[in-house]
Amino acid sequence: MASGILIDGRWEVRPYKADGAGRFERQKTLFRSKVGDDDFPLEEGRYRLYVSYACPWAHRTLIARALLGLESAIPVSVVHPHMLEQSWEFKDDAGRISPEPVFGAEALWQVYARAEPGCNGRVTVPVLLDTVTKRIVNNESREIVRMFGRVFRPYARNADIDLCPPGMQDEIEAVIDALYEPVNNGVYRAGFAQSQAAYEEAARGLFAALQHWDDVLGRRRWLCGDTLTEADIALFTTLLRFDPVYYVHFKCSLKHIWDYPNLWRFLRRLYHHPAIQPTIRLDHIVQHYFVSHPHINPSGLVPIGPVIDYGEPPRD
């Protein structure tokens, strides 16, 4: 796979790793500090979020930012959907270079290298950058979402929304943990598998998990009960990409999401949410996956379908 990595702050094109059985191995996130720590005081407008509309992990942070009403408190830089030899680049939709405002960087790896000289590892989104010290705070989506809901609450326009109520935290974290390996990462484990056994292991686990969560949503409105939480956002961003991309591109073709009545209703409920809808860029999603993975789609052709009718918001 055409990709890249920072080695002592230098950019090198290297493929993703698989283990001896052909299983895809995801790299751990590099930066795990938090706003509110001594090194990173809370200030409105101080922290910049770097995202791709295409990436499900980055999309989580955009959704949380929108639901909480933090748009003016946390500025955003968006990368181009194509991830090629320079990885994520700062280009507009027409492909014209549009450097980001902190370092004047043309690619996200340059932000990493300038913010953290000598950095080693993959360059991923989302990234939360301190624009005063010009250091990376965090690039773990789960922790960024939690920071938005807890630490940045003084700046939230929608302070009545709590995506992780204190009394529900343990349940929410348990659900996010349960979703991660078979569903959120499972689609990638199927798509990037390098052996038939690794692919089938991932795909069968994925569809067993989808059935489980469809059953759960048949008994309750949201994954953790009657309240929209971080767990629902974690599931939604994978489901949104499933039929347009993962079904074909990652060979997750046993069923569509619309074949699961409760998952499909859940997906449409969030798809039509007025705060979430502006964060959805299906054009970026489709372009990213079909163009950025030449080992899966060497022609780089982007399909013209499927045409998905999301209909009206569910009435339940």
Side-chain angles (χ1 to χ4, degrees), residues 22-261:
R23 299 185 186 91
F24 167 63
E25 294 185 325
R26 184 176 293 279
Q27 176 191 291
K28 294 184 182 299
T29 47
L30 300 174
F31 303 100
R32 307 294 290 271
S33 297
K34 293 179 173 59
V35 174
D37 293 348
D38 290 343
D39 290 344
F40 300 112
L42 177 64
E43 293 178 17
E44 187 174 14
R46 173 171 177 154
Y47 298 93
R48 176 167 289 269
L49 179 66
Y50 295 84
V51 299
S52 162
Y53 285 121
C55 171
W57 318 98
H59 194 187
R60 296 179 183 190
T61 64
L62 282 175
I63 290 173
R65 175 177 173 267
L67 287 171
L68 293 162
L70 288 168
E71 293 91 341
S72 61
I74 305 167
V76 164
S77 289
V78 179
V79 296
H80 192 270
H82 297 170
M83 188 178 70
L84 303 172
E85 288 193 352
Q86 294 298 308
S87 190
W88 300 113
E89 296 181 88
F90 296 104
K91 296 179 178 179
D92 61 22
D93 284 354
R96 296 182 294 260
I97 291 291
S98 180
E100 57 80 46
V102 180
F103 298 102
E106 297 182 358
L108 187 60
W109 71 262
Q110 295 167 349
V111 172
Y112 273 66
R114 293 171 189 175
E116 305 292 338
C119 176
N120 290 281
R122 297 281 171 195
V123 172
T124 62
V125 286
V127 180
L128 192 65
L129 179 81
D130 180 350
T131 64
V132 174
T133 64
K134 297 186 177 180
R135 292 173 54 202
I136 292 173
V137 181
N138 197 295
N139 68 336
E140 169 55 56
S141 63
R142 180 171 175 173
E143 294 177 0
I144 293 173
V145 168
R146 181 67 54 83
M147 277 187 271
F148 286 179
R150 294 274 175 86
V151 181
F152 285 87
R153 181 163 294 279
Y155 306 125
R157 291 197 323 275
N158 304 322
D160 56 318
I161 293 177
D162 192 342
L163 298 173
C164 186
M168 298 177 64
Q169 181 170 324
D170 289 348
E171 181 181 6
I172 290 166
E173 291 182 349
V175 171
I176 294 173
D177 286 341
L179 286 169
Y180 172 75
E181 193 62 23
V183 179
N184 304 139
N185 197 40
V187 291
Y188 288 90
R189 290 170 54 233
F192 292 168
Q194 296 183 18
S195 72
Q196 184 69 28
Y199 159 72
E200 291 193 17
E201 176 185 72
R204 295 186 191 286
L206 166 65
F207 285 99
L210 290 176
Q211 185 60 62
H212 167 75
W213 294 112
D214 186 70
D215 293 342
V216 168
L217 289 168
R219 301 190 296 270
R220 49 176 62 176
R221 179 176 175 80
W222 302 109
L223 292 176
C224 297
D226 297 327
T227 302
L228 171 65
T229 70
E230 296 169 357
D232 300 294
I233 297 171
L235 178 59
F236 170 72
T237 59
T238 296
L239 297 187
L240 178 68
R241 289 155 176 79
F242 199 96
D243 289 322
V245 173
Y246 303 149
Y247 183 91
V248 172
H249 188 58
F250 282 173
K251 304 177 181 66
C252 298
S253 52
L254 195 61
K255 287 186 176 182
H256 291 281
I257 296 304
W258 62 63
D259 294 323
Y260 297 93

